[in-house]
Amino acid sequence: MAARELSTPRIVRILAALFKRNVRKNERIAASSSEPIPKAVEERAAVFSGEDKVNIPIEVYLHKILLNSFCSPSCYVVAFIYLDRFLNRHPSVRLNSSNVHRLVITAILTAVKFSDERYQDTNAYYAKVAEISLSEMNELEVCFLFGVRFDLHVRLDDYNDCCDFLERQIESLFFDSCILP
C-alpha cells in the first residue's frame, strides 16, 4: 500500500488538471458576467453545490477516493464520460469550486457501481470517503442518475475515444501549469 500512496496515478493527475482548468475558466466567466443565473439552473445544480466549499485540492481528493475505494483507474475514465454526459445534458450547469467535488464523487460512485466487477462498497462507504452524510450521497446519486437520464452504458469506442482525448490533454495541461499561476 505504501507504494500506491506515494505515486499519484496519471489518470488522477490528468483529470485533476482538467477539472482545475475548467473550474478556473468557469469562475472567470461567472465573475465577469452580469446576467443572473436562471432559477431552473440554480435548482438543478443546487444539490451538487454544498453549503461549504470543499477545501481539499481536487487532485488530492481524486487520489483519496482512489486509495480509499480501491476502484480501478478505468472507473475514472467512465466517471469522466458520465460527468461529460451530465454537463452536456445540462449546459447551463458549469463546474465550479462549489460543485466539482460532489459531482466527481457521484460520477465515480456511479461508474464503480455500474462498471467495476470488484464493486463491494456501499453509498455509506463513499459518503464517508467524501466526508458527507449518507442521505446527501444518496440524493446526489439519484439526481446524477436522472441528470444522465440513466444512460450508463459506455461503448468500447467511446471509452477508447475518451482515453485518446485524455492522452492528448497531457501536453496542453503541462503547458497551462507552466504558464498559469
Side-chain angles (χ1 to χ4, degrees):
M1 178 81 117
R4 189 174 185 189
E5 290 176 358
L6 293 176
S7 66
T8 302
R10 190 157 89 171
I11 186 69
V12 168
R13 292 191 315 268
I14 294 168
L15 291 179
L18 282 171
F19 293 146
K20 283 191 285 190
R21 181 172 66 183
N22 201 316
V23 165
R24 191 171 41 240
K25 178 187 82 170
N26 290 338
E27 290 184 345
R28 265 186 295 197
I29 291 168
S32 66
S33 175
S34 59
E35 293 183 30
I37 299 171
K39 188 169 176 84
V41 173
E42 284 183 13
E43 290 171 359
R44 200 171 343 192
V47 70
F48 294 102
S49 295
E51 292 177 14
D52 300 319
K53 290 182 182 178
V54 178
N55 289 326
I56 184 172
I58 193 66
E59 183 170 0
V60 174
Y61 191 72
L62 288 166
H63 197 202
K64 175 185 173 186
I65 295 167
L66 185 69
L67 289 174
N68 290 295
S69 66
F70 302 103
C71 63
S72 63
S74 64
C75 281
Y76 275 59
V77 176
V78 173
F80 184 76
I81 292 168
Y82 290 169
L83 190 54
D84 184 59
R85 287 178 184 174
F86 181 90
L87 295 171
N88 281 325
R89 289 187 173 129
H90 307 285
S92 53
V93 175
R94 295 178 182 232
L95 285 181
N96 61 48
S97 55
S98 295
N99 67 19
V100 66
H101 293 82
R102 285 173 181 80
L103 281 164
V104 164
I105 190 70
T106 309
I108 291 171
L109 170 69
T110 305
V112 168
K113 280 184 165 184
F114 193 76
S115 64
D116 203 327
E117 295 174 1
R118 299 177 303 161
Y119 173 73
Q120 297 174 14
D121 301 326
T122 63
N123 283 27
Y125 187 80
Y126 276 83
K128 184 176 179 181
V129 170
E131 299 179 18
I132 60 176
S133 70
L134 174 58
S135 62
E136 183 177 2
M137 187 78 257
N138 292 339
E139 182 181 14
L140 293 173
E141 180 185 26
V142 168
C143 290
F144 191 80
L145 288 170
F146 276 98
V148 295
R149 299 182 188 133
F150 294 87
D151 181 12
L152 300 178
H153 178 71
V154 175
R155 292 184 359 208
L156 183 57
D157 289 348
D158 293 336
Y159 181 88
N160 289 335
D161 288 347
C162 184
C163 289
D164 291 344
F165 168 78
L166 293 171
E167 286 290 330
R168 287 191 309 272
Q169 296 308 301
I170 293 172
E171 186 175 314
S172 69
L173 291 169
F174 175 75
F175 181 74
D176 285 352
S177 68
C178 291
I179 301 298
L180 299 173

